[in-house]
Amino acid sequence: MSSQDQEPNGSSSHMMKTTKRGRPFLKDTLDLFATLIVSLPLGPHKQFFRTFPHSFTTDEAAQNLASLKFSQSNRGPDPREPSRVVTTTTTTTFSMTREMAKAMCQHFMDARLIENATDPTSNLFKDRGVYQLTAKGLHVLERFISKNGINSEHLQPIFASQPICIKLLHLERRSSDDEIIVTQSVITALFRRFVGRQSNYPHGDNRDTDAFLRYHERAKGIPLFDLQERGSKGYTTTRYSFYAVAALEWLCDFTSVVGREEAAEMAAQFVRFGLITLVSDKRKNTDSAIIFTVRGSSSSGASGPPVNGEFRCTNKAVYKITDEGQRVARWGEPRTAAHASPSSSTADLASRSSVEASDEGAEHPNRANRVQRRASVAEFGEKRSKETNADRLQYIIDTPRLRALFREFLRHNICEENLTFWMEVQEFKRKFQVTSSAMASERSTRPGSRSTPGQAAMEKHHELLIQTASLIFNNYLAHSSPSELNIDHTLRNELTGYLEEVVSSVTGQKFQGRLEPEHASALNATQLQHIIKLYERIQGHVFRLMSTDSVPKFMKSPGFQVSQRTYAEDLENFDGEVRLLSLQETSPPGYNEEVGGAYVTISQQATEREHRMQQARQAQEQQRQPGGNQYS
């Protein structure tokens, strides 16, 4: 399989790099997967007398992968004339045969990005099948869309109707061979995510429960059970047991692990560090068995981990969490103690920064291999001299769950439009800078059209930007608009005066106080950029208003106090081991290749949906037990 980059000055082609296991590097796999999904017309497909919504077929995937174009356009000032805006478009074309396309889709299945709609337990990509996105696949897709400025309106029904992985744990890899960088701190972080902050015993048979609830329960950690076996002295019970195959599936579903083989390698590391141990393997002698062994370097001290670890990938193999595993998981510790605020951190909330392990090296030399740590929410409410309300507001906006709670608070105080306007302008600015599109080449241009796929996508994107500019003005800034903002008259008059000048110059008509589509359609990129700058000044005014008036009240509200404790408990397994990232962040943290690390990306759509569901449950409880408003 190959890809070709086409730029204004020429083109270049290269083969995808593959690992020793024969799969493409993970980043290429994720990018190609998301590019394919954006290009597919996902819809209902029938198979075995059932209809599967938001799905695609083998033929559709193979046809698009045969010649898939990904175009990305970037806007910026003209070096020769900074007042003008120029656009640079780069188009990447992927080409592969049908067999290669099927093999690539098999890699997508191995990474648990897609699944067989008729049989989700199947691990084989079939020649005639119907496939849907997994919760992990939706998380990856959301991140790709956010990073590349892709118009995703046609994908919103999928995000709204299917479970999405809220927190995905990413393990750092070597750039040379794409292998996971294994250190004790990385295995510890992975294991804590694997077992959860408390033992996850499913409550009865949940097969008939809601799909969202089933996924939420499984996301807490590997499902456990008590294994009862009959021996010479009667029945014995082994607590905290789990099936080996279930462990492999869980690691593939909730982390960046790719395929059962790599999952087995991580599980063997759990065995090596004494976190889990084999309890039973009652397979028959004729049954096939895959035993994965990892080997580490010899330890200089007697207390170091064993050199080897072995994990049996059989249907009958059962493992358990050891006493050491329970200690590492911190199951027995009070949650407040387990999530103690990191007093050694030199990062305050203002910078929203992480603390490098090297910053702690002088006091704790043995922590040199620990990854970055995000300031915890427990620190959020502390009165620090370096923090301001503007810093706290930025942290609220950057944290999906806090942002959703803050929006609810503003709604109760009849000023939600401030946050909504700020967020819409922020998204508007991002989309103006970068836009991307993906499509199969045969659908890229109309007959007789001389424009390239990138140019066509850019023209359509410019139309959408103009529509967005009109909606923002008409909803928030026009006189008597539905959500009119309370802003400085000077700012409003400056914006209105510029629109009067532009509309009259490009249309010859008088501006009537609203930015109509027929008026806005004539705007060029430079005029649109000036409007964005005016929006940005108003955005700054609204930000200062929220930080000085709304944030202090929000932090004193009972709703925030309760959420602060809940959120801190929810993140206790990550604090001090991994860095937390919003999907809006385009660059994951980089680590020294000899150290490795881990980080978690958080889905905004899944977090906000969970918050809405939580609000609905609370409303139902309040109806049964009438009480006061949590924001009063």
Side-chain angles (χ1 to χ4, degrees):
M1 63 193 75
S2 64
S3 65
Q4 184 177 37
D5 298 326
Q6 299 176 347
E7 300 181 354
N9 297 328
S11 63
S12 61
S13 61
H14 63 273
M15 300 293 292
M16 280 189 177
K17 295 174 65 177
T18 57
T19 67
K20 65 182 182 181
R21 295 184 173 98
R23 64 165 178 80
F25 276 31
L26 179 59
K27 184 181 185 305
D28 292 336
T29 300
L30 300 183
D31 287 347
L32 184 55
F33 156 76
T35 303
L36 170 65
I37 297 303
V38 170
S39 74
L40 285 171
L42 300 177
H45 291 85
K46 289 185 178 181
Q47 193 170 44
F48 302 136
F49 306 105
R50 293 177 60 191
T51 300
F52 300 95
H54 314 306
S55 58
F56 62 93
T57 66
T58 302
D59 290 338
E60 290 173 340
Q63 181 179 358
N64 277 31
L65 285 173
S67 185
L68 184 62
K69 291 183 181 294
F70 176 74
S71 299
Q72 186 171 78
S73 299
N74 295 272
R75 287 188 178 88
D78 187 342
R80 293 170 295 185
E81 189 178 342
S83 61
R84 294 181 63 251
V85 177
V86 294
T87 303
T88 304
T89 301
T90 302
T91 300
T92 303
T93 302
F94 300 91
S95 60
M96 60 188 75
T97 65
R98 179 180 174 86
E99 290 305 314
M100 287 183 179
K102 288 173 55 181
M104 196 69 233
C105 290
Q106 181 63 60
H107 293 312
F108 297 159
M109 288 197 73
D110 293 340
R112 292 295 297 156
L113 303 174
I114 61 175
E115 64 184 6
N116 191 313
T118 60
D119 183 13
T121 62
S122 173
N123 294 313
L124 181 64
F125 188 82
K126 301 178 180 179
D127 192 56
R128 297 184 181 276
V130 175
Y131 298 90
Q132 292 178 314
L133 274 65
T134 64
K136 178 180 176 181
L138 285 172
H139 183 110
V140 171
L141 180 63
E142 180 185 350
R143 189 179 182 204
F144 181 83
I145 289 171
S146 175
K147 181 171 62 175
N148 292 285
I150 294 175
N151 180 26
S152 60
E153 292 181 3
H154 64 294
L155 296 172
Q156 290 309 308
I158 310 176
F159 288 113
S161 61
Q162 296 180 203
I164 308 173
C165 179
I166 297 182
K167 303 183 189 75
L168 184 64
L169 179 64
H170 303 259
L171 305 178
E172 288 290 303
R173 297 172 180 269
R174 287 194 297 264
S175 59
S176 58
D177 58 8
D178 207 45
E179 290 295 310
I180 294 174
I181 307 170
V182 175
T183 64
Q184 186 165 359
S185 64
V186 169
I187 296 302
T188 297
L190 177 61
F191 180 74
R192 286 177 176 167
R193 178 69 185 95
F194 174 71
V195 297
R197 54 189 172 94
Q198 59 186 1
S199 57
N200 184 20
Y201 277 86
H203 301 288
D205 188 357
N206 62 357
R207 287 178 295 180
D208 297 329
T209 59
D210 180 81
F212 290 91
L213 292 178
R214 288 200 305 270
Y215 185 82
H216 178 73
E217 289 300 314
R218 187 163 172 261
K220 293 179 179 178
I222 181 70
L224 303 174
F225 66 93
D226 292 340
L227 177 67
Q228 289 190 337
E229 292 185 300
R230 185 175 182 178
S232 58
K233 297 182 180 181
Y235 285 96
T236 59
T237 300
T238 304
R239 288 183 55 75
Y240 311 125
S241 303
F242 59 89
Y243 285 106
V245 174
L248 303 183
E249 294 294 334
W250 195 97
L251 288 170
C252 290
D253 284 340
F254 295 96
T255 73
S256 63
V257 164
V258 181
R260 288 192 171 193
E261 184 178 348
E262 195 168 74
E265 180 183 348
M266 295 299 103
Q269 294 288 355
F270 293 164
V271 176
R272 177 190 170 215
F273 286 98
L275 306 176
I276 64 175
T277 188
L278 181 67
V279 175
S280 172
D281 186 8
K282 294 184 176 180
R283 61 184 175 86
K284 299 178 181 179
N285 293 332
T286 56
D287 293 343
S288 61
I290 300 177
I291 301 176
F292 202 98
T293 303
V294 295
R295 294 179 173 85
S297 58
S298 299
S299 176
S300 57
S303 60
V307 176
N308 298 335
E310 179 182 281
F311 189 80
R312 301 191 179 191
C313 310
T314 67
N315 291 328
K316 299 292 185 179
V318 177
Y319 284 78
K320 74 169 185 176
I321 312 296
T322 64
D323 292 341
E324 172 65 10
Q326 296 174 46
R327 185 193 67 80
V328 170
R330 302 180 296 195
W331 281 354
E333 297 181 26
R335 293 184 185 177
T336 54
H339 190 76
S341 185
S343 58
S344 60
S345 172
T346 59
D348 59 18
L349 189 59
S351 61
R352 296 175 290 113
S353 63
S354 302
V355 180
E356 294 278 357
S358 59
D359 293 335
E360 304 177 5
E363 184 179 355
H364 303 286
N366 60 329
R367 295 184 186 178
N369 61 344
R370 293 182 67 175
V371 301
Q372 294 178 331
R373 175 167 58 194
R374 182 76 174 264
S376 69
V377 178
E379 296 174 305
F380 181 79
E382 296 180 7
K383 300 293 185 180
R384 297 195 176 204
S385 59
K386 293 183 180 180
E387 292 175 1
T388 66
N389 285 328
D391 303 324
R392 297 187 176 100
L393 176 58
Q394 190 61 57
Y395 187 79
I396 289 171
I397 291 173
D398 290 342
T399 308
R401 187 175 297 191
L402 284 177
R403 184 174 64 245
L405 191 67
F406 186 55
R407 185 187 297 276
E408 190 74 18
F409 171 81
L410 295 177
R411 184 178 300 123
H412 279 83
N413 287 271
I414 324 297
C415 55
E416 182 188 3
E417 65 276 1
N418 289 333
L419 179 61
T420 305
F421 170 80
W422 194 95
M423 296 293 295
E424 288 187 13
V425 172
Q426 196 72 1
E427 180 72 4
F428 184 34
K429 292 190 298 183
R430 185 182 65 82
K431 287 184 176 181
F432 180 81
Q433 296 297 330
V434 180
T435 178
S436 305
S437 65
M439 63 191 71
S441 60
E442 62 270 15
R443 295 189 288 110
S444 62
T445 56
R446 296 183 296 271
S449 174
R450 302 180 65 179
S451 62
T452 65
Q455 290 172 337
M458 198 64 196
E459 291 173 0
K460 182 178 180 180
H461 187 71
H462 183 74
E463 294 175 0
L464 293 174
L465 287 176
I466 290 175
Q467 294 176 14
T468 302
S470 300
L471 288 173
I472 291 176
F473 179 82
N474 295 333
N475 286 339
Y476 302 102
L477 303 171
H479 180 65
S480 300
S481 54
S483 302
E484 185 174 0
L485 296 176
N486 181 19
I487 62 173
D488 183 80
H489 289 292
T490 303
L491 287 174
R492 190 188 301 275
N493 292 338
E494 186 175 351
L495 173 62
T496 304
Y498 181 74
L499 292 178
E500 288 177 349
E501 176 185 341
V502 170
V503 169
S504 62
S505 64
V506 299
T507 67
Q509 301 177 12
K510 185 178 179 180
F511 182 64
Q512 299 294 331
R514 290 180 59 85
L515 195 57
E516 302 298 340
E518 58 269 21
H519 297 158
S521 60
L523 295 176
N524 58 40
T526 301
Q527 293 167 331
L528 195 59
Q529 184 185 47
H530 191 78
I531 293 176
I532 289 176
K533 289 181 178 179
L534 293 172
Y535 283 0
E536 193 171 20
R537 289 175 58 190
I538 299 174
Q539 186 189 34
H541 173 84
V542 170
F543 186 91
R544 289 189 295 272
L545 181 64
M546 288 191 294
S547 63
T548 56
D549 182 65
S550 300
V551 167
K553 297 176 182 177
F554 172 64
M555 292 181 62
K556 295 178 182 177
S557 67
F560 169 74
Q561 299 297 331
V562 172
S563 174
Q564 181 183 356
R565 293 192 296 270
T566 303
Y567 194 54
E569 291 176 359
D570 190 44
L571 298 182
E572 67 180 26
N573 282 333
F574 300 127
D575 186 27
E577 301 300 334
V578 299
R579 184 183 177 192
L580 301 173
L581 297 182
S582 165
L583 293 191
Q584 301 292 336
E585 298 193 46
T586 58
S587 300
Y591 301 99
N592 183 292
E593 289 213 352
E594 297 300 320
V595 175
Y599 62 96
V600 169
T601 51
I602 304 175
S603 166
Q604 175 180 329
Q605 300 214 35
T607 302
E608 292 183 348
R609 182 169 62 194
E610 183 185 41
H611 177 75
R612 291 193 299 268
M613 295 172 64
Q614 182 180 5
Q615 291 292 318
R617 289 193 295 269
Q618 290 178 353
Q620 292 176 355
E621 292 177 0
Q622 288 179 357
Q623 289 178 356
R624 290 193 296 266
Q625 300 177 355
N629 192 322
Q630 65 171 325
Y631 296 106
S632 59

